[in-house]
Amino acid sequence: MDHSHHEHMHHGGAAGTAGGDMMEEAYRCSMNMLFTWNTQNLCLVFRWWHITGGVSLFFSLLGVVVLSAGYEWLRDFTRRFEARIDATTPQNTITIHSDEENVENGGSEETSSLLPNAGRPTAAASRSRYSLPHILKGGLYGLQVFYSFFIMLLFMTYNGWVMIAVAVGAFLGYIVWGGNTAAKSVACH
């Protein structure tokens, strides 16, 4: 009789011993979909970031605070980098005249998106999108998006302690690197 389709219990001696099953049970991660203060079987984003007791909870929450504050540092670094790049890079301005201005200056009243170069940036402006400064700014933007989604995943453990740690980190990061305004919210994107 073929029993290969049945789940087998592990008995004695092999790698999958009953003791091995208890080890797996000890490292089981629980995922809550409702708010909780419970830290038993709490894993933060990764299986290896498992809360096993009070000490690991303390250091994990401290890590979450540092990560959240680090996001504010990255935002500040990006703002300063963009300001430095914008101050040293000549801007390619594109002037698009309204239909009334065009007619007043002796131009045609006819406008259409099918007309060549209607409302399109110049070749120099298009090239600036592929310049190294613009690519670096895009890379920093992508890093910010990745970082913010990572923090969102931490928050989505629905654990009150982790949520507070995220908020404390954002607070401390804002105090240290926040600049003069909180206009940009801590959003996923």
Side-chain angles (χ1 to χ4, degrees):
M1 179 181 263
D2 182 20
H3 294 283
S4 62
H5 62 282
H6 293 282
E7 188 174 328
H8 292 283
M9 304 247 340
H10 297 287
H11 300 283
T17 64
D21 289 343
M22 282 191 257
M23 286 288 279
E24 277 185 36
E25 190 69 31
Y27 291 104
R28 177 164 283 152
C29 296
S30 67
M31 180 63 190
N32 291 304
M33 297 307 290
L34 299 172
F35 180 82
T36 184
W37 293 99
N38 184 8
T39 58
Q40 184 178 8
N41 293 324
L42 175 63
C43 291
L44 300 179
V45 182
F46 304 105
R47 181 179 206 99
W48 54 262
W49 195 352
H50 186 247
I51 307 302
T52 57
V55 173
S56 65
L57 175 64
F58 173 78
F59 284 111
S60 292
L61 294 177
L62 187 62
V64 170
V65 168
V66 169
L67 282 169
S68 295
Y71 176 73
E72 292 300 321
W73 173 84
L74 179 61
R75 285 182 52 205
D76 179 59
F77 176 81
T78 301
R79 280 190 298 263
R80 287 185 290 115
F81 179 79
E82 287 179 349
R84 191 175 334 128
I85 292 297
D86 291 345
T88 61
T89 305
Q91 298 297 316
N92 295 314
T93 57
I94 302 167
T95 304
I96 301 174
H97 297 284
S98 68
D99 292 339
E100 286 180 15
E101 290 173 324
N102 194 22
V103 172
E104 289 173 7
N105 293 329
S108 167
E109 286 186 43
E110 183 177 357
T111 61
S112 170
S113 61
L114 299 174
L115 293 174
N117 298 325
R120 293 190 184 162
T122 63
S126 295
R127 279 193 305 272
S128 72
R129 289 188 176 171
Y130 303 107
S131 68
L132 182 61
H134 191 70
I135 290 170
L136 291 174
K137 286 166 49 173
L140 285 171
Y141 175 75
L143 188 59
Q144 278 187 11
V145 170
F146 177 83
Y147 206 149
S148 66
F149 276 113
F150 186 81
I151 292 171
M152 177 198 65
L153 290 174
L154 289 169
F155 205 85
M156 286 181 60
T157 61
Y158 296 104
N159 184 282
W161 301 112
V162 176
M163 291 175 166
I164 289 171
V166 168
V168 167
F171 168 76
L172 293 174
Y174 178 78
I175 295 300
V176 175
W177 296 290
N180 299 326
T181 179
K184 279 190 169 182
S185 66
V186 178
C188 295
H189 181 164

